[in-house]
Amino acid sequence: MSAEDVVNGIEAISLEKNPEDVCQAEGEDDYVDPWTVTSKSDAGIDYDKLIKRFGSSKVDDEILARLEKVSGKPCHHLLRRGIFFSHRDLHTILTLKEQNKPFFLYTGRGPSSDSMHLGHLVPFIITKWFQETFDVPLVIQLTDDEKSLWKDLKVEEAMRMARENAKDIIALGFDVRKTFIFSNLDFMGRCPAMYQNIIRIQRCITFNQVKGIFGFGDSDVIGKIGFPAAQAVPCMSTTFPFIFGNRKVQCLVPCAIDQDPYFRMTRDVAPRLGFPKPALIHSTFFPALQGAKSKMSASDQNSAIFLTDTPKQIKSKINKHAFSGGRDTVEEHRALGGNTDVDVPYQLLKFFLEDDAELEQIRVAYSTGAMLSGEIKKKAVETLQPIVEEHQKRRKLVTDEILNEFMSLRKLDFS
């Protein structure tokens, strides 16, 4: 078979799992695809089953130990606590680091609201840790084109939301010298290399294959059919010639597990186009306040803690809406203890309370009945309020000029 045959997609796409498994983990209890996450269990998604179904690898003690050895730093608490629980080829990335060979980071955000919520911060928090730990460049994609297609937003509105969300991302403290942020609807017009790589990917995948991967139907608009290639191309370093030139550099993608179908498709196509397969590290889902049966949603104000919420709103949302793992009565709770597996205030602390010893004390106290539901909710409120307040202060300092600098086409400074 000639190289041209491969590029034209004559060779059938193999994928790392069967196409019907790529888009969703669908069984008796759980459903996961890039747009919908639901579980019938109060404890949420069964992530061990999801690893098996998606064919990824568990982030276990061995790889955490290797991460610490290669980086020379303790692992981030999101890694230590199993919130980033699954990976593809993370060992390859660590080997590159050991050999003093380059790699870069890519993550993204689909802007569907003016403000991000706490769950949206999770992949960016770990991405920042990787960037600072390994001194590598980072590209952040804002898929305003996707949200225009799926959320029926006007193009102009999606682009405006992308800029607002970018300011939330910058407020986390990313280094402008090492970070490039772009929105698809803007960048594609400024950098022809992106569209050229999109076409290269689209030539490798048939209509039937993309339907099998993502579950598209005959009534879906044609923009949806072509979009997956747009989320794939940042994995190809030549999409950013002003950063990498013509070098084909390995990529690591931190993301939530529901985005894996896009990159499983990409991992099949990339070698056929002469690129290394992107590596990935997957996070669990940030639970909705109503419980882990679904993830926080930007479309439901009461399901999420938004970065624009006031301290009073945060307190009210947690007290009124946060699903409790406590018992029906104080007496029963004192006797039997609460269930931290389903208790949303505890899960919020697991994500954002950095002190491991304090978190363990809370877990033991709550599960033995020494701590009541109202007390753990109070602790969650006290933990999240200053995080959101501090973010709002930093967000006010992000001017349009600073945003434009992050989004400007330029070389990045990295080792």
Side-chain angles (χ1 to χ4, degrees):
M1 180 175 293
S2 70
E4 183 66 14
D5 286 341
V6 173
V7 171
N8 281 323
I10 292 175
E11 181 181 31
I13 190 167
S14 61
L15 295 170
E16 296 181 349
K17 294 286 282 182
N18 293 328
E20 62 268 20
D21 289 336
V22 174
C23 181
Q24 60 196 41
E26 185 178 7
E28 224 172 81
D29 298 318
D30 299 338
Y31 185 96
V32 177
D33 71 17
W35 308 280
T36 305
V37 176
T38 59
S39 175
K40 293 180 181 178
S41 168
D42 287 336
I45 301 297
D46 186 326
Y47 291 104
D48 288 334
K49 287 184 179 179
L50 201 56
I51 286 175
K52 184 176 180 180
R53 183 178 294 273
F54 278 8
S56 57
S57 300
K58 187 172 183 178
V59 175
D60 55 18
D61 291 341
E62 177 188 354
I63 199 162
L64 291 177
R66 190 175 179 210
L67 254 174
E68 292 192 345
K69 180 182 178 181
V70 173
S71 69
K73 293 175 61 176
C75 282
H76 195 279
H77 73 269
L78 292 176
L79 290 163
R80 296 194 305 268
R81 296 174 188 172
I83 290 169
F84 279 84
F85 71 102
S86 165
H87 75 95
R88 297 185 186 278
D89 290 344
L90 187 55
H91 280 295
T92 300
I93 295 295
L94 297 178
T95 298
L96 288 174
K97 181 63 179 177
E98 288 174 329
Q99 297 172 347
N100 291 318
K101 294 181 179 179
F103 71 93
F104 72 100
L105 293 161
Y106 154 44
T107 192
R109 158 78 182 133
S112 59
S113 59
D114 284 337
S115 171
M116 292 165 57
H117 62 59
L118 283 175
H120 294 143
L121 294 185
V122 173
F124 293 105
I125 290 170
I126 204 67
T127 297
K128 185 170 181 282
W129 182 84
F130 272 105
Q131 184 185 43
E132 293 175 346
T133 299
F134 295 111
D135 188 23
V136 290
L138 163 65
V139 297
I140 298 175
Q141 180 186 50
L142 303 169
T143 54
D144 43 7
D145 51 347
E146 175 200 18
K147 294 307 176 184
S148 182
L149 292 165
W150 265 267
K151 297 291 186 179
D152 196 25
L153 294 172
K154 291 183 178 179
V155 166
E156 294 79 9
E157 181 69 359
M159 293 180 72
R160 185 190 65 78
M161 288 181 176
R163 288 182 64 85
E164 292 301 312
N165 283 194
K167 291 180 179 179
D168 275 329
I169 294 166
I170 292 168
L172 282 171
F174 286 103
D175 188 341
V176 68
R177 298 170 301 170
K178 302 175 184 181
T179 306
F180 173 59
I181 301 175
F182 66 100
S183 81
N184 285 352
L185 290 172
D186 169 69
F187 180 58
M188 202 178 303
R190 293 191 290 146
C191 184
M194 180 179 186
Y195 188 57
Q196 292 164 12
N197 279 341
I198 286 175
I199 293 299
R200 291 185 176 103
I201 291 174
Q202 288 177 342
R203 291 174 69 188
C204 290
I205 305 171
T206 68
F207 178 53
N208 281 338
Q209 287 160 354
V210 81
K211 284 202 301 182
I213 296 167
F214 296 99
F216 297 140
D218 292 341
S219 61
D220 280 309
V221 297
I222 60 173
K224 292 184 178 181
I225 309 300
F227 170 74
Q231 187 157 325
V233 290
C235 296
M236 300 163 64
S237 54
T238 58
T239 301
F240 312 99
F242 48 92
I243 301 174
F244 302 106
N246 292 322
R247 289 181 296 167
K248 294 183 177 179
V249 182
Q250 179 85 35
C251 173
L252 172 63
V253 185
C255 62
I257 188 68
D258 59 340
Q259 298 303 299
D260 187 68
Y262 287 109
F263 301 110
R264 223 174 317 176
M265 178 195 77
T266 310
R267 284 169 58 84
D268 184 83
V269 172
R272 295 157 59 191
L273 297 174
F275 290 88
K277 291 183 177 182
L280 291 99
I281 184 163
H282 305 116
S283 73
T284 60
F285 300 115
F286 199 72
L289 290 176
Q290 288 77 8
K293 289 183 177 181
S294 62
K295 63 178 181 177
M296 275 195 178
S297 171
S299 60
D300 184 351
Q301 286 289 322
N302 289 326
S303 79
I305 304 295
F306 285 85
L307 298 176
T308 51
D309 282 347
T310 65
K312 183 178 180 180
Q313 287 174 316
I314 294 170
K315 181 179 180 180
S316 177
K317 285 182 177 183
I318 291 175
N319 285 335
K320 289 182 179 180
H321 301 292
F323 186 85
S324 175
R327 304 293 174 170
D328 292 337
T329 66
V330 171
E331 293 76 13
E332 187 180 2
H333 186 90
R334 293 291 191 198
L336 300 176
N339 184 352
T340 55
D341 290 337
V342 304
D343 191 86
V344 168
Y346 177 79
Q347 296 304 317
L348 296 175
L349 293 171
K350 188 176 178 181
F351 275 86
F352 284 102
L353 181 63
E354 295 187 13
D355 189 318
D356 286 343
E358 185 178 5
L359 182 69
E360 177 62 11
Q361 290 173 357
I362 291 169
R363 186 194 68 79
V364 171
Y366 190 67
S367 59
T368 59
M371 175 179 276
L372 298 175
S373 294
E375 293 171 321
I376 199 171
K377 285 186 176 183
K378 183 174 183 289
K379 181 62 183 178
V381 170
E382 292 172 347
T383 300
L384 296 183
Q385 282 177 335
I387 290 173
V388 174
E389 281 189 280
E390 180 60 29
H391 186 276
Q392 290 169 359
K393 291 177 183 177
R394 294 195 303 266
R395 172 68 160 73
K396 289 178 181 179
L397 300 176
V398 181
T399 63
D400 285 333
E401 289 73 22
I402 291 174
L403 173 58
N404 290 339
E405 186 178 359
F406 271 93
M407 301 184 80
S408 64
L409 277 59
R410 68 204 187 281
K411 290 184 178 180
L412 298 182
D413 178 18
F414 54 92
S415 62

